[in-house]
Amino acid sequence: DIALSDGVLTHHLQNGEKQIMKFRSVTMKATDDNDQLQLDVKLTDAYEGLLQARVSLPADIERMLMPETKISGQLDADLPRLENFNVFLQQGILPVGNIRAAIQLEGTLQAPRLSGEAVLQVPLLELGNPATVFSRSILNMQLAGSDIKLQGKSELAARPLLIEGEVNLASIENWR
């Protein structure tokens, strides 16, 4: 078990910049039960954001990497400042905003299945140069198997914009 409290995570980027995240607590626990490795992680950031994850994999490393290996997991997130989690990414691509998510993972490494939902809210997002500015964006995502259904709304040039679509993860090369 690992437990940390009141600290700072720092990620130094290749361009010399750094991403910083203040946290209240981080706990990590790994247990080996009936040849299954159970990993639990819980992180509370300085703004009361909560991220919890649990993954179950075979304890045997050779079996862990086989395509037919059974996997399961869960991710729960309530992050009022999503941008703080840029510290975990190679490039700071997460916008200012918040996300709530409850996602389950089942299946095999070869054919993972997702279920659950997530809601992303981004008050202001600038894309491209010159910038296209989206404001008051809300995106709801429903996950089922390898499908993600998207539905939301935003404003573009002070006009409403509806967002609707579907992504099939299985059709994306190397998505696993």
Side-chain angles (χ1 to χ4, degrees), residues 1-5 25-30 40-42:
D1 292 7
I2 297 172
L4 305 170
S5 60
S25 67
V26 177
T27 58
M28 293 176 264
K29 181 178 182 179
D40 291 285
V41 177
K42 181 178 178 182

Side-chain angles (χ1 to χ4, degrees), residues 141-152:
M141 296 163 268
Q142 298 288 324
L143 296 89
S146 62
D147 293 324
I148 301 176
K149 291 184 181 179
L150 308 167
Q151 193 169 32

